Amino acid sequence: MTSPSPVVGDWYRRFNGALFEVVAVDRDDDTVEVQHFDGTLEEFDLESWEEQDFEEAQAPEDWTGSVDVEPEDYESERDIAATGGWIDPLMSLDRSEASGYSEWPSPRDL
């Protein structure tokens, strides 16, 4: 059995159930780089990829597997988005810098 062709962004599963995403395919070097759900990176050459028994899989619903994020770190962001608490990004600008004043000397001051 041969594996499907690797496509960047697609998810695959090994016969033992390990889930991973293809993150790069380098046709010049004939390599495929994958990232496992836990964040581990692995590289295959195209020949060994074709010899493996991978199958296409759905992306996991829990996107935090490969990122070091605890649920309490992003739950508050989801709550803000759910309440429609949009904040104008321009409110974070320093108004003195926006009006032309800056602590950095201008070229003519030098």
Side-chain angles (χ1 to χ4, degrees), residues 56-82:
E56 293 182 23
Q58 295 294 320
E61 289 183 25
D62 180 15
W63 58 269
T64 62
S66 63
V67 219
D68 190 20
V69 176
E70 297 297 323
E72 58 268 6
D73 292 338
Y74 67 90
E75 283 179 355
S76 62
E77 293 175 11
R78 287 193 324 205
D79 295 341
I80 291 171

Side-chain angles (χ1 to χ4, degrees), residues 96-108:
S96 62
E97 287 186 22
S99 64
Y101 172 77
S102 176
E103 304 245 345
W104 294 95
S106 69
R108 61 188 157 180

Side-chain angles (χ1 to χ4, degrees), residues 9-78:
D10 284 359
W11 287 81
Y12 300 88
R13 183 179 310 277
R14 289 181 189 236
F15 65 91
N16 65 0
L19 190 64
F20 61 90
E21 177 185 14
V22 173
V23 293
V25 176
D26 188 340
R27 300 286 179 194
D28 295 334
D29 291 339
D30 290 334
T31 58
V32 179
E33 187 170 345
V34 303
Q35 182 174 16
H36 295 272
F37 183 71
D38 66 359
T40 307
L41 294 174
E42 186 175 4
E43 187 174 276
F44 297 95
D45 58 37
L46 282 175
E47 284 183 30
S48 66
W49 173 273
E50 293 169 359
E51 295 171 357
Q52 301 291 321
D53 289 330
F54 300 137
E55 63 181 5
E56 293 182 23
Q58 295 294 320
E61 289 183 25
D62 180 15
W63 58 269
T64 62
S66 63
V67 219
D68 190 20
V69 176
E70 297 297 323
E72 58 268 6
D73 292 338
Y74 67 90
E75 283 179 355
S76 62
E77 293 175 11
R78 287 193 324 205

